[in-house]
Amino acid sequence: MAGLRWPDAMELLVFLLGFLLVYYLIRARTSNKLPPGPSAWWQFANLFSSDRKPPHIRLEEYRKRYGNVTTLYILWMPIILLSGFQTIQEALIQYSREFAGRPRTRINYLLSKCQGIIFAPYGSSWKRQRRFTLTILRNFGLGKIYFEEKILEEAEYLIDTLKASLEGQAVDAHPVITSAVSNVTCMVIFGRRFHYEDKTFTHLVGLYDEMLRLQSGIWIRICSVFPFILHFPGPHQRIFENQAAIFAILQGFIEQHRETLSGGTIRDFIDAYLLEMKKERDGSFDSMLTEGNLLHDIHDLFLGGTETTTTTLYWGLLYMMAYPDVQVKCQEEIDEVIGRSRRPSMEDSSGMPYVSAVIHEVQRYANILPLSVARAMTQDTIFMGHTIKKDTLVLINLYSALTDEGQWKHPHQFNPENFLNDSGEFFKPDAFIPFSMGVRACLGERLAKMELFLFFTSLLQHLEFRWPDPATSPNLEGLYKIMVAPHPYEMLVRRRETSGDP
């Protein structure tokens, strides 16, 4: 308030606060038909509380008090929280299209431009991007030997890198795990893998990690409620600077592909998109395959294909150190079914119920995406007796499904028995929905399942993982940055002898 005398500045501040109060009261009166929930005032006061529980834990408290359909607020902006497996299933399957929208906030528009797959609004363009992406993945052999070979090759690079550090020193494996998983995505998108020390590659991976931190912070919420702030300098501008840096690198890869594109050879996703985009432009109809959609599709594929699988594997190795008996049982089953010299195969998974149960339990218990990507109503809808207006924001509480006490044997413990029947056979409860459900379910689910099984099995086939300090225990509390990740940790890695073949 440069140029204003102190009394004038105080009068202006009081006026603004009064205006916001009146505006809130008007908006609050129009929301009395929404589901029950804590008052906006109470939630605002809790912003200044010393209680810093993770968001999904606090939301579980709301669920227990107000029910499975709850109204929350960011100031005067109502948000519907859906919890419990049965409620989520009804919403995302029976009302799949009604709950398929994305928030129509100014900051969401500036970041996504209504393009791509993850953050694009439900509509014809989004359907086209998703359908075309799935077609390309299938054409490149998703679910077939080609993808297995690429994942297993990268697993060998990862194992060799970890073996090179076997000098009795504790190491943090997160950077090389990230590089390995990212390289699988890079082979799909860019048609190549990168050395783990490649500067462009490590810079891009670092930018994505920073993006998650920025977009889980308080500024993204403030800008959603007060979009005029976007016009002013401040810490929130770092969100856009980060995205611009990511897009500059991705655009560089697109230009390299354009210069070397050959109509007879499709090397990767970018090639396939550029060729199909040209074909549709040469046709007589408007194409939804555009330069902007290509850029955002690549961005979404890299984000979805790297961070979730990396974080799950990082949790998995931490659990193996926290529960060494589970690690031993996994290795015994691997030795019995595969041995220590043959490569694993996806066909092995059906004969390895314990390893499959452990991998699924890591996904369930780590619960890396306790809240799926925010949704919005595509139309006015009556759901479970409540009227939810079009464009109302909706949060899907996946944590509540993955810990639903009516669905799991041991909902609040890490225990592979959650996925084993009385005969020791693998089974998957319906409430296992880490990839969400319905039309907005993760399109990379199949690839993620392949990577998790092949990376996890390969690592335990060749290496043992031990907690470096016997006097302490692993910290199993998560860090929340959109995804729930472990606190950074170090581990001791020991080579297993190449014996024990069946």
Side-chain angles (χ1 to χ4, degrees), residues 242-475:
N242 172 269
Q243 187 188 66
I246 290 173
F247 281 5
I249 295 175
L250 298 182
Q251 190 64 51
F253 284 117
I254 293 173
E255 295 308 319
Q256 291 172 16
H257 278 68
R258 201 188 309 275
E259 293 170 1
T260 59
L261 185 62
S262 171
T265 304
I266 297 179
R267 298 164 294 184
D268 48 44
F269 179 87
I270 296 178
D271 275 0
Y273 202 104
L274 289 172
L275 289 170
E276 186 67 19
M277 185 166 59
K278 182 179 185 303
K279 185 191 302 181
E280 292 196 0
R281 281 179 175 173
D282 293 342
S284 58
F285 56 90
D286 293 333
S287 174
M288 293 178 184
L289 301 183
T290 64
E291 297 283 349
N293 271 319
L294 171 57
L295 183 61
H296 282 270
D297 284 357
I298 295 171
H299 168 66
D300 292 350
L301 284 171
F302 198 92
L303 172 63
T306 297
E307 296 293 341
T308 53
T309 304
T310 295
T311 304
T312 303
L313 284 171
Y314 198 49
W315 273 116
L317 296 182
L318 184 62
Y319 291 144
M320 293 305 96
M321 294 185 292
Y323 304 97
D325 56 320
V326 174
Q327 181 175 182
V328 169
K329 289 185 69 174
C330 284
Q331 289 170 329
E332 289 174 348
E333 188 173 70
I334 291 169
D335 290 348
E336 179 182 349
V337 176
I338 303 172
R340 300 188 194 175
S341 57
R342 177 174 70 82
R343 279 178 165 186
S345 165
M346 288 305 298
E347 292 182 357
D348 294 321
S349 62
S350 60
M352 301 172 64
Y354 190 78
V355 170
S356 296
V358 169
I359 293 171
H360 283 74
E361 181 65 356
V362 169
Q363 291 178 270
R364 185 198 72 85
Y365 192 70
N367 192 30
I368 65 169
L369 280 173
L371 302 172
S372 66
V373 181
R375 302 190 179 213
M377 303 304 296
T378 59
Q379 62 187 62
D380 293 357
T381 303
I382 297 176
F383 179 72
M384 290 190 167
H386 304 288
T387 300
I388 307 177
K389 296 291 186 181
K390 180 181 178 181
D391 294 332
T392 301
L393 270 67
V394 179
L395 293 180
I396 308 298
N397 185 4
L398 297 181
Y399 172 80
S400 67
L402 296 174
T403 58
D404 195 318
E405 295 181 357
Q407 300 288 328
W408 302 98
K409 300 176 188 176
H410 310 282
H412 304 294
Q413 301 173 16
F414 178 85
N415 194 326
E417 290 182 7
N418 281 308
F419 293 92
L420 296 170
N421 63 19
D422 294 338
S423 301
E425 299 167 330
F426 174 78
F427 81 101
K428 186 169 65 176
D430 292 338
F432 182 73
I433 54 170
F435 299 99
S436 195
M437 313 171 73
V439 298
R440 282 281 190 175
C442 175
L443 64 78
E445 177 177 354
R446 194 171 181 183
L447 177 58
K449 289 178 177 178
M450 292 177 66
E451 289 185 86
L452 288 174
F453 179 79
L454 295 174
F455 272 119
F456 185 80
T457 303
S458 297
L459 287 167
L460 293 189
Q461 181 185 30
H462 294 281
L463 303 171
E464 292 179 7
F465 302 92
R466 295 186 177 182
W467 188 247
D469 184 2
T472 64
S473 298
N475 182 359

Side-chain angles (χ1 to χ4, degrees), residues 88-100:
I88 293 171
Q89 183 182 48
E90 182 173 344
L92 300 190
I93 300 301
Q94 297 182 32
Y95 293 84
S96 189
R97 289 170 177 79
E98 288 86 344
F99 283 92

